[in-house]
Structures are given as C-alpha cells and as structure tokens.
C-alpha cells in the first residue's frame, strides 16, 4: 500500500484508485496489464478501493496479467466468480493472496482447502461460518482439511460430526492420519492445552491399541441422545421468556444429534424432559407417532387408539434468484443544454473556456456532464469533437469509464454518454498505439486526479515530460512524423481535433 509519504489520506488514495480503474477500462485491451503493472509498482494496494474493479479490468488481469498483478487482484476482489477464476490459475502467489482475502466466498475457500489444507489453516482471511460449513459438509476430503484448522469456537457437535464423517468414509486409519497431521500435542498425555476437547478425546482414542470402542464413546458423548437432553435442559431457563426458550431449543435441535427416540420417550415418562422441549421434539418430522403421543401427553399410547400423523416436512428453503431482466432503456428526448447553449458555436466556446462539473449540486450555474450529453444527443456537437475539449480530464474518464454507466453503454447506444465512452477510448488508443513506457503510466497516474486541462493536453504533457523510443523521429508510430496520418501538419493525413491520429 502506498505509504503516508504520498501525503494522501486513505480516502484520497481510494479515490485515486477509482479514477485509475475507470481510466484502465478505456485503455486498449492489451495495454491494460502494462498500465496496471506500472501503477501497482507505486501503489501495492491498487485494487483496494471499496469495490471490485470494472469487469473489463478484471478480465484483462485474468487473461493477460502476470502473477504479481493477479495476486494483487486476488487480495482485494470480492466477486465469487472472479475469485474462482483466479483460483483455477493454480498459482502459489495467487492462492496465498486469496487465503488472506477477508472477502473470499465459501466456494473459493472450499477449493483452497482441498488444494492445500495446511496453508489454508494459516490464512488471514479466516471466516468462522465458512469453516463450520466445511466441517459439516459431508465431503470426507474437505472435512479432513477443515479439521486441520483449529481456529474458531464451534459447537461441540460440529467437530464431532466432522470426525464421524472422516471415520465413516476412511475408517480408523484415516482418523489416525488426520490426528497425526494435527500435531502439536505437547501437554500432559501428549495433548495441547488449547486443543478442542473433541479433538483431544479423538487423539486419546487413536492412541489405544483397539481405538474403535473409544472412538464410539468420544462421538457419542457429543452427538448422542444424552448430549441432546443435556443441551435441552440447559436451554430451559426460568429467567427467559417462553418464546426465547422455544427458539433456543429449536436451534439446538438443528444440530446433528443422533436421537434415540426410545430414550427420549423414557425421559418424558420419567419427567426428566422439560415440557417445552417435549413440544419442540414432537413437532419434528422424524418423530415416530407413538413417541409423539408420549411427548404430548406424558403417557404411553393406548393400544388400539389411532396414532396422530407425523409432522409435515418443512419446505426446503429456496435460494432467491432474481429474474433475468430484458429491460432496455427507452429513448428519451435530449435534456437541457444549460450553459452550453443552443448552437454548436456556443457549446464549443463554453467547452473551451470553462470547466465542467459532475452535477449542479454545488453550483446551480455550472455546466455539467448532463448538459454535455444533451449537446451530443441534440447533434450540436459530435462526441468526436466534444471529448477532447472536456476539462478536467479525470471528470471525463471517470464518468464514461465507471461500471455504473455500462447500462447506458450497452443498452442505450443513443445516449451522449455512450458516444463519449467510444471517443474517449479511441483518443487513448491513438495515444497508446505505439506502446507506452512504465514511466509514462506512472506520470499519468500522478497527474490525472488534479489536472485542470483536457485529456489531450494531459497526454501531451506526459509525453513531453517522459519521452521514449516511440517519440523518435524515425518511428512511424510517432504522430509528429511527416507522412503519419496522425500528424496535424500532414496534408495527406489530417488529425482529429485532439491532435492524435484520427
């Protein structure tokens, strides 16, 4: 991350990164990685800007970027699709950055755990919910990998269920492998004082010559009916409202206990089961009808009497998927041109003599980007003529390059904003056509935010301050060479109003 030596606050650095991402969207596809690499050399936290970079930037990094650039993106990206695309690259630097990303989603975490369980157990981007989900996933390899991560405080049933999953799919030998991989047992009896109690019991069981009965006992102690009854009694507190007690018991019953319904019925008949717990248990779909009678009445079902039907299965939760929108913005009449006037001459004069504002909130008399879009939509000026006149340069690049404007670009091609996007991208492509050195990209970064002039003026200043081989007189890509179509003085190749190749 750029240090305090740059004189910018965290908010200001985030703003600079936003402007750079908008500018990168407008650059030619194959030029984006070079620009991003140069900017990354100045600001190692280039992609940390409070939101994901625009999709064109992320795509260029994935397809054309180097490992350093991809790792920088992996450390900040929030999109699950982009995270998984980075994970499929199978690069150690990228995987390490993803493991340290606090915004990583479960699907990416799962892939990283399966690929390198030991490294995932040390990643700084730890998410307790993802860890618990992996422990209860039922996938033996994923569960074994999640058991190697000792972080987090989980319910007693969670790690017990995970050990049971490993044992069910790999037997005692697989359990012993995972216990050996855990390591770190240096306390009394070979155990660490910070071990989870379930892990400690499993390790002691594996140390026995015949571990099977000891493993049964260790798991039953956390998942058996006795553990369930103990949890239900603990939830039944007199200082809580009845609805709170019921909700707590319902949460307990969502845990993966192994219920012996005969023992549940015996506890109810022996008056050792709270009434609220009995009502909650009777409402479970897997509760046998004869046990439901005992739970509801406190007495055994009478022979010959009809038993109640079992409780209905709860509806499976449906993941909400928003409908795919086919909405296309309807054509709107051009808006007000404001201070830019009603003629090409007035618009041209205003653009040459005054700076534009994003909107009129701070100055009601300001000429805004909305006024400029109206000028283009009315046909007073073309975007080809207007784009090189807009001042300041960062206002133009950030407005037409940011992701929030893509609806206008892709679905409202008639809008002035869409036309400006095309012409601004073309202007940058003409400037970068012969290749741009890293020094120029860095100079462009340092000037962009506060530069008061237009984009062509900014690019010309950067080129003059940092000349490179592409500016040599013999280079055919130099716009100043005679015979080059981009040379403004060349009668055979007139340049556009920006001074670059048309």
């Amino acid at each position: 991350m750029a240090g305090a030596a740059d004189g910018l606050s965290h908010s200001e650095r985030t703003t600079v990164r936003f402007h750079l991402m908008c500018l990168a969207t407008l650059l030619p596809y194959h030029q984006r990685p070079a620009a991003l690499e140069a900017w990354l050399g100045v600001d190692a936290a280039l992609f940390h800007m409070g939101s994901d970079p625009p999709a064109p930037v992320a795509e260029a990094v994935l397809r054309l970027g180097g490992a350093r650039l991809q790792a920088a993106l992996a450390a900040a990206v929030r999109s699950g699709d982009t995270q998984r695309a980075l994970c499929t690259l199978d690069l150690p630097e990228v995987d390490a950055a993803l493991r340290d990303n606090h915004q990583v989603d479960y699907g990416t975490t799962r892939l990283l755990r399966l690929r390198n369980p030991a490294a995932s157990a040390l990643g700084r981007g730890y998410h307790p919910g993802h860890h618990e989900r992996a422990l209860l996933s039922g996938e033996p390899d994923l569960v074994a990998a999640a058991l190697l991560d000792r972080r987090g405080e989980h319910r007693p049933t969670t790690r017990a269920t995970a050990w049971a999953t490993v044992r069910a799919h790999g037997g005692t030998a697989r359990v012993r492998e995972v216990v050996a991989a855990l390591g770190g047992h240096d306390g009394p009896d070979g155990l660490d004082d910070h071990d989870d109690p379930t892990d400690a019991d499993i390790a002691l069981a594996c140390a026995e010559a015949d571990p099977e009965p000891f493993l049964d006992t260790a798991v039953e102690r956390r998942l058996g009916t006795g553990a369930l009854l103990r949890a239900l009694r603990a939830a039944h507190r007199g200082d809580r409202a009845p609805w709170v007690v019921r909700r707590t018991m319902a949460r307990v019953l969502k845990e993966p206990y192994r219920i012996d319904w005969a023992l549940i019925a015996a506890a109810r008949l022996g008056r050792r089961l709270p009434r609220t717990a009995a009502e909650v248990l009777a409402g479970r779909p897997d509760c046998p009808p004869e046990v439901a009678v005992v739970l509801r009445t406190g007495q055994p079902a009478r022979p010959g009497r009809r038993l109640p039907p079992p409780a209905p299965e709860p509806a499976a939760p449906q993941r909400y998927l928003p409908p795919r929108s086919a909405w296309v913005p309807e054509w709107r009449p051009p808006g007000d041109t404001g201070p830019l006037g009603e003629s090409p001459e007035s618009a041209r004069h205003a653009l040459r003599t005054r700076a534009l504002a994003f909107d009129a909130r701070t100055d009601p008399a300001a000429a805004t980007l909305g006024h400029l879009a109206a000028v283009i939509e009315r046909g007073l000026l073309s975007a080809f003529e207007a784009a090189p006149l807009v001042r300041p340069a960062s206002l133009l690049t950030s407005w037409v390059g940011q992701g929030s404007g893509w609806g206008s670009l892709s679905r409202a091609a008639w809008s002035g904003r869409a036309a400006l996007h095309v012409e601004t991208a073309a202007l940058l492509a003409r400037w970068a056509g012969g290749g741009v050195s890293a020094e120029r990209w860095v100079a462009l970064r340092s000037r962009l935010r506060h530069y008061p002039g237009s984009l062509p003026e900014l690019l010309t200043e950067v080129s003059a301050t940092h000349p490179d081989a592409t500016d040599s007189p013999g280079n055919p890509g130099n716009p100043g060479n005679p015979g080059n179509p981009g040379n403004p003085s060349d009668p055979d190749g007139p340049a556009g109003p920006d001074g670059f190749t048309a």
Side-chain angles (χ1 to χ4, degrees), residues 143-402:
V143 170
L147 281 170
L148 299 182
D149 194 340
R150 304 185 186 202
R151 294 172 293 183
E153 295 182 3
H154 304 288
R155 297 185 296 268
T157 57
T158 301
R159 292 189 75 90
T161 302
W163 285 111
T165 301
V166 172
R167 183 185 179 195
H169 290 84
T172 305
R174 180 60 172 150
V175 174
R176 280 177 162 164
E177 286 179 12
V178 177
V179 169
L182 275 170
H185 303 298
D186 301 323
D189 301 324
L191 299 176
D192 194 313
D193 292 338
H194 300 289
D195 277 350
D196 181 90
T198 305
D199 294 353
D201 285 355
I202 296 294
L204 287 173
C206 289
E208 299 290 339
D210 182 14
E212 293 290 342
F214 297 93
L215 289 173
D216 289 338
T217 301
V219 173
E220 182 68 20
R221 189 177 300 164
R222 275 90 184 173
L223 298 181
T225 305
L228 171 61
L229 293 174
R230 183 168 57 247
L232 290 174
R233 293 191 193 104
H236 187 74
R237 292 172 48 180
D239 58 343
R240 290 177 174 173
W243 67 271
V244 176
V245 173
R246 180 178 291 275
R247 185 182 63 181
T248 305
M249 290 184 174
R251 189 181 301 120
V252 168
L253 288 174
K254 289 182 179 180
E255 298 181 35
Y257 288 103
R258 300 172 177 178
I259 301 179
D260 185 330
W261 289 104
L263 295 178
I264 294 292
R268 178 70 176 100
L269 291 172
R271 300 183 183 278
R272 300 188 304 275
L273 186 66
R275 181 178 294 276
T276 304
E279 294 174 356
V280 175
L281 284 165
R284 286 176 61 99
D286 56 342
C287 178
E290 59 275 12
V291 176
V293 172
V294 175
L295 292 173
R296 289 192 175 102
T297 65
Q299 299 178 356
R302 296 181 181 179
R305 177 168 291 188
R306 187 175 181 180
L307 297 174
E313 290 279 353
Q318 297 293 327
R319 180 184 176 188
Y320 173 73
L321 295 176
R324 302 191 102 183
S325 174
W327 172 79
V328 176
E330 63 179 6
W331 181 85
R332 298 189 305 271
D336 180 25
T337 57
L340 299 183
E342 298 292 336
S343 68
E345 291 75 17
S346 64
R348 197 176 294 114
H349 175 75
L351 289 174
R352 287 193 177 119
T353 57
R354 64 190 304 172
L356 293 187
F358 183 80
D359 54 36
R361 283 181 293 181
T362 57
D363 182 7
T368 67
L369 291 168
H371 297 148
L372 177 61
V375 166
I376 295 173
E377 291 168 15
R378 288 175 182 270
L380 302 180
L381 291 179
S382 67
F384 177 73
E385 185 177 1
L389 301 177
V390 176
R391 295 181 294 119
S394 62
L395 182 71
L396 174 65
T397 57
S398 298
W399 187 52
V400 300
Q402 62 182 285

